[in-house]
Amino acid sequence: VPPHNLGELCEAVVFMAKRWAKRAAVTVDNLLQFIQGPDFPTGGLAFRYRENGGDTPDDIIRQMYETGQGRLIMQARVDIESLGGGKHNVVVSELPYMVQKSTIMERIGTEVRNGRIEGVSDVRDESDHEGMRLVIETSRGHDPNTVLEGLLQYSQLRETFGAQILALVPTEDGMRPQYLSLRDALGYFIEHRLQVIERRSRHEREKLRKRLHI
């Protein structure tokens, strides 16, 4: 299950709770008003749409929330800085989720030596207390955008996250794992909270009854 913003989740829960009697009518589009998509703690970019050869691209995030499964394309946040004299820096400030900076540097070095990535003269880590800064220096005369495309293709600066909203849910045969839509996942959570509140209230009432008897 990809990480999400807690505030957005709470707003979606409140929206469903206020419509609890008609929760079956709540749609994914209703919930997308509050939850834009996963919120990865390392930042970076997550692409919502994917070309499929047709007129309308696939909405990957919507499909994930409808079916409980999806493959999200994540990409590092990258800027290109000109150094003059035909040289540039490709500067990475945010990484895809669960990708290590050291792993990326090793992979870039390997692919440069193998000739799959061209136009890279140096890779260095300039991160400090102000944030992450991974610098990839391009060779003189190489187009930085072409170098960037090679970096995205052959390193983990672009990765795929296999999202699975999978949970144990109560059935007639006991607890069973199921892929859940966003609406169903929030619904099971609200049902659980209602059970907790009811059990707590019964327990407190029983304590008061015993005290009243005394």
Side-chain angles (χ1 to χ4, degrees):
V1 180
H4 284 76
N5 180 279
L6 184 57
E8 293 178 358
L9 280 175
C10 289
E11 290 180 355
V13 168
V14 170
F15 177 85
M16 274 199 66
K18 288 182 176 179
R19 294 157 181 79
W20 189 243
K22 299 180 179 179
R23 58 188 178 277
V26 175
T27 65
V28 171
D29 291 324
N30 294 146
L31 298 174
L32 282 173
Q33 298 177 64
F34 309 100
I35 301 176
Q36 303 292 312
D39 185 15
F40 297 109
T42 54
L45 307 174
F47 293 95
R48 178 168 181 174
Y49 298 100
R50 177 182 295 166
E51 296 294 337
N52 56 16
D55 296 333
T56 306
D58 293 332
D59 189 336
I60 303 302
I61 289 181
R62 192 176 190 281
Q63 289 178 5
M64 176 188 70
Y65 288 143
E66 280 186 328
T67 65
Q69 300 180 76
R71 295 179 63 80
L72 299 177
I73 297 176
M74 305 180 301
Q75 184 174 303
R77 189 174 295 277
V78 179
D79 295 298
I80 295 177
E81 298 177 351
S82 176
L83 301 178
K87 300 191 70 174
H88 297 82
N89 280 342
V90 177
V91 181
V92 181
S93 56
E94 297 176 7
L95 292 177
Y97 185 51
M98 298 181 70
V99 173
Q100 298 294 324
K101 181 171 52 180
S102 58
T103 304
I104 288 181
M105 296 179 69
E106 292 174 6
R107 179 69 175 273
I108 292 175
T110 300
E111 298 300 341
V112 168
R113 288 191 295 273
N114 292 340
R116 300 178 76 178
I117 298 178
E118 297 181 351
V120 173
S121 60
D122 189 24
V123 181
R124 59 185 180 273
D125 182 9
E126 297 183 357
S127 304
D128 56 20
H129 65 282
E130 294 183 354
M132 197 198 78
R133 180 180 167 88
L134 177 61
V135 178
I136 302 154
E137 188 175 319
T138 66
S139 303
R140 193 181 308 276
H142 281 79
D143 182 0
N145 292 295
T146 302
V147 175
L148 176 57
E149 281 302 314
L151 293 168
L152 294 174
Q153 183 175 358
Y154 295 111
S155 75
Q156 294 94 334
L157 291 179
R158 180 184 288 157
E159 275 284 16
T160 301
F161 182 88
Q164 298 182 353
I165 306 178
L166 183 66
L168 289 172
V169 299
T171 65
E172 295 180 355
D173 302 326
M175 303 295 284
R176 292 286 186 272
Q178 288 185 14
Y179 290 106
L180 301 176
S181 67
L182 179 59
R183 182 190 66 190
D184 290 343
L186 295 179
Y188 278 118
F189 171 74
I190 294 173
E191 285 182 355
H192 167 69
R193 291 301 306 155
L194 290 172
Q195 291 173 6
V196 170
I197 293 169
E198 181 177 346
R199 290 173 182 171
R200 183 179 63 209
S201 300
R202 291 183 183 278
H203 174 70
E204 291 175 352
R205 183 180 64 176
E206 188 60 28
K207 287 171 60 178
L208 290 172
R209 279 180 175 174
K210 292 180 179 178
R211 182 64 184 166
L212 182 61
H213 175 72
I214 294 174

